[in-house]
Structures are given as C-alpha cells and as structure tokens.
Amino acid sequence: MDASFTAEQDEIRRTLRELLHKRCGSEELRTAVDTPAGHDPALWTALARQLGLPGLALPEAYGGIGCSVTELALAAEETGRFLAPSPLLATAVLTAPLVLALGTDTQRARLLPRIAAGSLTAALAAPGTELTTALTLTGPNGGEWAGGGRAGGVQARQAGDAGWRLYGQVAQVLDGHSADVLLVAAHAGGFARSRTLLFLVAGDADGLVRIRQTALDATRPQARLELRDVEAELLGEDDDSAADGPRVLRELSATGDTVAAFLAAEAVGAADRALERTVQYVKQREQFGRAIGSFQAVKHRLADVYVQVQAAKSAAYYAAWAAGQGERVGGLALAQALEALRTAAAEGIQLHGGIGFTWEHEAHLYLKRAAGDELLFGPVHRLRAHAAEGARLFESREVTV
C-alpha cells in the first residue's frame, strides 16, 4: 500500500472542500435539512456537474469517472467535514454498485448513466434494523432479514405476464422519501423455495406510500415505505432459479465493505472538523484571565482526541485501499471512526461550555451524526464482534512447539 496521495486525489479533496465551503455553511445546512427532500437539490446538481461525484466510482462506459474506493472515501471525508446532506450515500454507494453487479445490460444502460449525471437518485430499501446484517457488517447474511409477513419486510410474488408485485413495509430507508427509484429487497418463492431478490420500483408507483420519518440525525433523512401490491421489476435476469438468492446476498456483502469504508472516511472527516472547531474555540474563550486552551488539562484532553482521530483516519484510508484488494476490514475501520467521532463531538460540546449545548450551535449535529450512524450501521461493539468472529479470534487452537 502506498500511503501517499496522487495529485488527482489531492485535487478531488481540494475542489470538493472549496465547493462545500461556499455552498454548505451552517445556515445552508439547516435550511437544506428542513426542505421536503432533506437536501439542497442545487448543491447536488453542482456536485454532479462540476465534480462528477455520483459517478466517481462508476465505469466510464456508463458515464462515470472510473475511480477506486479510495477516491470515493476521500470525497466522503470532505462531505463528512461539512455534514453535507445529499443522496450520495443512498444513490452512489448503497444502490449503484448493486445495479452494476446484478442488473441486466438494459437496466444498467437505463439507470447508471442517469445516476452518474446526478439526474436520477436511488435508495436501497432493506429493513432498517437489519441493514447491517444485509451488508454483512454485524452478522452473517442468510437472507432471512428481507421478509417475514407480520414481522415486517417485503414479500414478492409473480403475477403472470404482469411481472412482479410487492407487498410489505420497510422503515428507516435512507432518502427513501425523495428517491426517484427504489431498490427493494424482498422474499420470493414461498417457504419451500424462499430466496432474497432485489426489485426496482419507481418512486411514483401506484400503491407505494412514502412517509418521511423524524430521524435523530437530520442530515440523514429517512423514510418508511408501505408497498401495497406495487408493480416491480426484478433486478437482473428472471430465470426463476433459487440460485439467484445467494448471488444477491454475495453482492450485498461485497457492497457492505465499500459502504463501511465510505462511512468510516465520512466519520473521520466529521471528527476532524469537530476537533478543529473545538481547538479554535478554546484558543479564544478566556477563563481566569487566560485562554482555556492554555490549561494543561484541556491540552491533554484534546491531545487524546487528536491521537484517536488520526488513528481512525489511518484505519479508514487502509480500509478504502483494502476494499479494492478484496480484503474485508471496513467494519473495523468503521467502528474505530464512529468511536473517534463520538469522542470528538462529546469533548467539543463539553469544552464549548454553555453554548455547546444549545440548538443554535453546530456541536450537537456532529454528536447526532455519530449516534445516528451507529444506530443504522452498528453498534460499534457488534461491528467489532463480527470482525473477531470472521478472524476466528476467540477459537481455541492447538499450539505446537
């Protein structure tokens, strides 16, 4: 692994940071999250047209740039610094790779160029409480999470020549209320031949009800989807074979490591920015006639945070590189990054004093990002436990001398 960045990678970071600095300040952020979409469409258009961000990791054949996970992670680090609300995670990280891996040539040609251009947004609809299982981040992916009747999830049935129909409910779908197209995970085939499949559903399909939910982290808008006999298109070839199921699960698992590397880099960017703002503040705030940042106790606390953030940054960079080499370390990097973000945000709130606890200040937004990501993609102890199980860390082994 080469730890240095190329000139192109540095340029991605610099250009994106400059754009977000101009277009995603504190006031713009609060205005964006209060809109019906939960993000600023003008900013999303600028990210797509000026930087090609939605198509950063898509092949050039589909209008993308063809970059690796590393470039995607570097972009995530910058969006994380500003807590920029956008459909990037839902569209380009969760959904587009699955369409690329599983879709037919026709489906790819129809969807991916529009995703790369930023004219089409998408969302992955998997049961919110089981999203980490579907991505194989906190447990093995056996496919049971996709459906379950009264227990939640979605059931799929074939309706003759009319194609597929979906019935069920999914909660905590990132950007599900505003996405142009939904990629819905559902159970098909009944008990004897049950398998998990993915289906494309238009955002304005008949029988589809989308309700935006109140989320802990307002910069990550979520929705509850109700599918009442909704027409759907199977992602990939329809050969009515149970072998499709395992392939879907394998691709979801492969996508999970990229998602984890992306989220880890995003959390590192947010933690770095939270620490930076706190350091600036303690240099200005005075107590007992001197800046509180000059007190040794404050220096030690911030030094500990700095070390934790730098360690998480190294782990996130390595995870992004390793994702392209087939090595699964994204879950561990994500656990470390979320822990660093929670610590940096909590210390920031404390050291900001009374103003840090107010709604008007931004400090609480960073803490909510850490807590929200942990609820959706964690928690940290389960991320680490699953990584330990995969490495067979606690299995007894004979030692020969």
Side-chain angles (χ1 to χ4, degrees):
M1 174 187 175
D2 185 358
S4 61
F5 294 116
T6 65
E8 291 77 7
Q9 290 170 338
D10 286 333
E11 184 65 16
I12 289 173
R13 302 174 72 176
R14 184 192 65 79
T15 307
L16 183 54
R17 185 177 298 191
E18 288 180 357
L19 176 62
L20 291 174
H21 180 73
K22 295 177 182 177
R23 303 287 295 270
C24 196
S26 178
E27 292 184 7
E28 291 85 356
L29 172 63
R30 293 176 185 272
T31 300
V33 298
D34 288 335
T35 61
H39 67 271
D40 181 7
L43 175 61
W44 176 244
T45 300
L47 292 173
R49 293 181 179 176
Q50 296 181 29
L51 301 176
L53 205 57
L56 193 62
L58 286 176
E60 294 181 15
Y62 296 109
I65 301 177
C67 292
S68 67
V69 180
T70 300
E71 285 78 17
L72 192 61
L74 292 177
E77 185 179 359
E78 296 307 317
T79 59
R81 286 179 61 85
F82 295 89
L83 301 179
S86 78
L88 181 63
L89 172 59
T91 300
V93 184
L94 282 168
T95 307
L98 294 171
V99 175
L100 179 63
L102 297 170
T104 63
D105 291 339
T106 301
Q107 289 170 336
R108 293 173 187 168
R110 186 177 84 239
L111 299 174
L112 293 180
R114 296 166 63 198
I115 287 177
S119 60
L120 181 77
T121 58
L124 175 63
T129 56
E130 299 294 340
L131 181 58
T132 54
T133 302
L135 299 173
T136 324
L137 295 178
T138 58
N141 183 358
E144 297 83 1
W145 47 268
R150 291 179 181 272
V154 181
Q155 297 290 335
R157 64 178 179 84
Q158 280 187 295
D161 296 335
W164 291 85
R165 313 292 292 190
L166 303 184
Y167 187 90
Q169 178 175 297
V170 189
Q172 294 178 269
V173 179
L174 288 173
D175 292 306
H177 63 293
S178 61
D180 300 315
V181 64
L182 301 167
L183 188 58
V184 182
H187 260 179
F191 179 78
R193 303 183 60 232
S194 177
R195 62 199 189 279
T196 301
L197 299 174
L198 294 174
F199 297 88
L200 295 167
V201 176
D204 57 355
D206 292 337
L208 174 64
V209 178
R210 306 195 287 180
I211 304 167
R212 183 173 176 179
Q213 296 177 296
T214 300
L216 173 64
D217 178 12
T219 65
R220 287 250 200 261
Q222 302 172 24
R224 185 177 79 250
L225 308 181
E226 297 176 4
L227 299 103
R228 303 168 181 174
D229 199 32
V230 174
E231 182 180 356
E233 176 188 355
L234 178 67
L235 181 67
E237 296 291 346
D238 180 8
D239 60 3
D240 196 28
S241 170
D244 268 350
R247 186 185 174 205
V248 168
L249 301 183
R250 286 196 302 271
E251 293 301 337
L252 277 166
S253 180
T255 300
D257 208 54
T258 300
V259 172
F262 178 93
L263 289 168
E266 199 179 53
V268 162
D272 199 30
R273 178 58 175 160
L275 175 60
E276 180 183 298
R277 290 174 62 91
T278 303
V279 170
Q280 291 174 351
Y281 182 76
V282 298
K283 288 180 178 179
Q284 299 171 359
R285 180 187 171 195
E286 292 188 358
Q287 191 73 9
F288 305 112
R290 55 190 285 195
I292 64 171
S294 65
F295 291 104
Q296 190 177 53
V298 174
K299 290 180 179 180
H300 285 180
R301 290 172 66 170
L302 291 176
D304 288 341
V305 175
Y306 175 79
V307 170
Q308 193 170 358
V309 171
Q310 292 304 309
K313 184 178 295 188
S314 297
Y317 290 165
Y318 181 79
W321 174 83
Q325 311 300 314
E327 183 181 354
R328 294 188 62 90
V329 294
L332 277 176
L334 177 57
Q336 191 163 356
L338 290 178
E339 203 166 57
L341 175 54
R342 181 182 284 272
T343 301
E347 288 288 0
I349 289 175
Q350 177 115 20
L351 292 175
H352 271 82
I355 189 65
F357 289 86
T358 63
W359 183 262
E360 290 75 17
H361 201 274
E362 293 182 20
H364 68 96
L365 297 176
Y366 290 89
L367 186 63
K368 288 177 179 177
R369 170 59 68 90
D373 277 4
E374 193 168 349
L375 286 172
L376 277 173
F377 301 99
V380 166
H381 70 272
R382 287 188 60 193
L383 288 166
R384 287 179 171 149
H386 181 60
E389 289 174 4
R392 303 171 65 183
L393 189 62
F394 299 113
E395 289 186 12
S396 58
R397 302 174 185 175
E398 291 186 4
V399 179
T400 58
V401 180

